[in-house]
Amino acid sequence: MASTKGRPLQFDLDDDDLKLFLEEAEEQIELLDQSLVQLEGEPDPALVQRIFRAAHTLKGSSATIGHKKMASLTHAMETVLDAVRQGRRAPTSDVVDALLAGLDALRVLANEVVTRVDSGVETERLEADLMAVLDGEAPAAPPPEASAAPVYQVPAGALDPYREDIEQGHGTYFVDVTIADDCQLPSIRCYQVLQEMESIGKAAVCWPDREVIESGGGEYRMAALLVTHHTEEQITSALKAVSDVADVRCRQVPAAEATGSIEGFRDAPRPAFEQRSDAAATQRDDAVLDGPRAAAGRKASQSVRIDVERLDGLMNLVGELVIDRTRLQQVREQLNSVLRDSNLSELLDNFEETTAHLARVTDELQDQIMRSRMLPVRSVLSRLPRLVRDVAVKCGKKVELITAGEETELDRSVIEEISDPLVHILRNAVDHGIESPEERRAAGKPETGTISVTAWNQETYIYLSVRDDGRGIDTAALRRKVVEKGLMTREAAEAAPEDQVVQWIFMPGLSTAKQITDVSGRGVGMDIVRTNIERLNGQITVSSTPGKGTEVIIQLPLTLATTKALMVSANGTVYAIPLVSVTEALADRGADVHTVGGRKMLRLRQRLLPMIDLAAALGDHRPRVLPTDGYFVVAARHGDRQAAFIVDRLLGEQDVVVKSLGDMLGARKGLTGATILGDGTLGLIVDIASLVNEQAAMAVPA
């Protein structure tokens, strides 16, 4: 078949529909990406159903806009998933591989809706591969057994309000309703079933509880004790008329027996591979039997999609408001010094009260806007299992990924920047850290290596830890490499302590890999990772134990829109030094200053720190005269390096709104942006990383 690549495409949708389609497609593709990897490990029926529903949704939306290739491919994937769902095919690695290949193609096909150009993806071959896995043999399994009938607890006195109806001849019926597996809105269908029950009788008891169903907590199964004058056939017929109701089972229960507990209907046998553990098998039934307890807090989510540009606009406006708040507070202090001794004290008090209220409202508004920009780190972590699986297969290793802290939140802008560094660290962990199954057996370890990724918040920072139980970093190899590359003398390399040697993996072009692969080994990467992290005002550290593994910890600010900084002045200019980099600040009279090699050095906690004139280091070459009453020294660190910066004054800590200066900074190093001060003037935000890295050239002569 001739290639169709480059052919123009047309779809039946306008700009608004395009936005909705892309949002839905991205959501469903991400769900498939993270769920298909889990499917290979534990084929839980709920997981299979979730994957099937995502594929079904993609098929429907792509068919609606006329994307025939995408609809056809998702139909083939849906067919395979249906076979897995029904137990006709086990989710082996071959099945998952075929589904993942189809998923990769779906990403490209979804992008065709934006470009309106055929990408040349050969869906026929992918569909043939998917159909081929259906011909594989299903695993032998013992005949399944029917599950035990669930037991429903009836609250004491539940039928008391309906005694009069029962005495007049109304029957009491136990009704069990199952919603179709492919229903997109099961909670709504449960609510409609409840409404239908109320139209033909009175639901004395519901499982899950009525309040849970009415608040959107219903799922794919519900039951009720119904008091009505209708027959079983009429009840069944009325409830089956509700859309997406797959099954209705009903039987009459004598009112005298409808107390304590009622035995439900025995479910039909399930395919063998779908048999769940006792705990998992009762999970959905527990939600039915103990609705208020199992579904507590699972109310319908009330959320709305907001365009990112609108959030950015709001954040900019809040930034201006924060600046004005700071200026007002400064004006208040000036007025206070001028008017306190006059007869305008009442006016001054009113002004102070107003500015205090404005400050409080601004803080709350800023906090709310910041929260609206926050996203769970789950959006990054959910993509990692697929990555680890693919790299492990290429390397011929067995690796299990464990993630924790998925609900930890951080700013959208940080989320977008952290993905690539995490990917590189994980690839290194699988390729360099985790040993082959043979090596692990010889070392007395399980064949399957473990990598854990954990996220947590602490103060105004987020921490991400990547830990593996592999071989650890070969420090002897690192010492040899730095000598071979001429980065250090043999004597200096041998004398360096182990914890310092481990940090050498961040040196450009340094790799301990014995051979270059398409995964890693070229010595390009960890230095870029460090650079990218530091560009975000973050830090990265690594620790390793031979034979036990390595841990990499990334520290990042929760947001890039504002930052906590130490405000200082140097040669008439105000600078903001990010607090994350500051280790100590002290007056010159308390500083232990020495001269080493003709350079001024500060002795601080058993270390010698080069002293750098902050203003001069940032390109301020105006005549410099230090204050006669003394100057101050700010010790700051970047990684394992430290330096001491000479400033005129310490102005205190402050939350500053980060403004980019873009091309205005030119080629000047050492600055990351600017902020507006309380008096309306500009303050410059210092890039400590670049200054510390060039500390030798900047050290102040003695």
Side-chain angles (χ1 to χ4, degrees), residues 199-214:
S199 70
I200 61 175
K202 297 174 182 177
V205 187
C206 296
W207 299 277
D209 188 79
R210 178 190 298 271
E211 292 180 358
V212 174
I213 295 175
E214 290 177 346

Side-chain angles (χ1 to χ4, degrees), residues 451-490:
I451 298 176
S452 61
V453 181
T454 308
W456 71 93
N457 282 340
Q458 186 172 325
E459 296 178 345
T460 58
Y461 299 97
I462 181 174
Y463 292 82
L464 289 162
S465 164
V466 180
R467 180 196 296 266
D468 67 66
D469 67 346
R471 61 171 64 91
I473 294 175
D474 188 346
T475 53
L478 279 173
R479 294 178 198 272
R480 287 196 303 271
K481 286 288 184 180
V482 296
V483 174
E484 289 173 9
K485 289 184 173 289
L487 301 174
M488 195 175 294
T489 64
R490 183 178 302 279

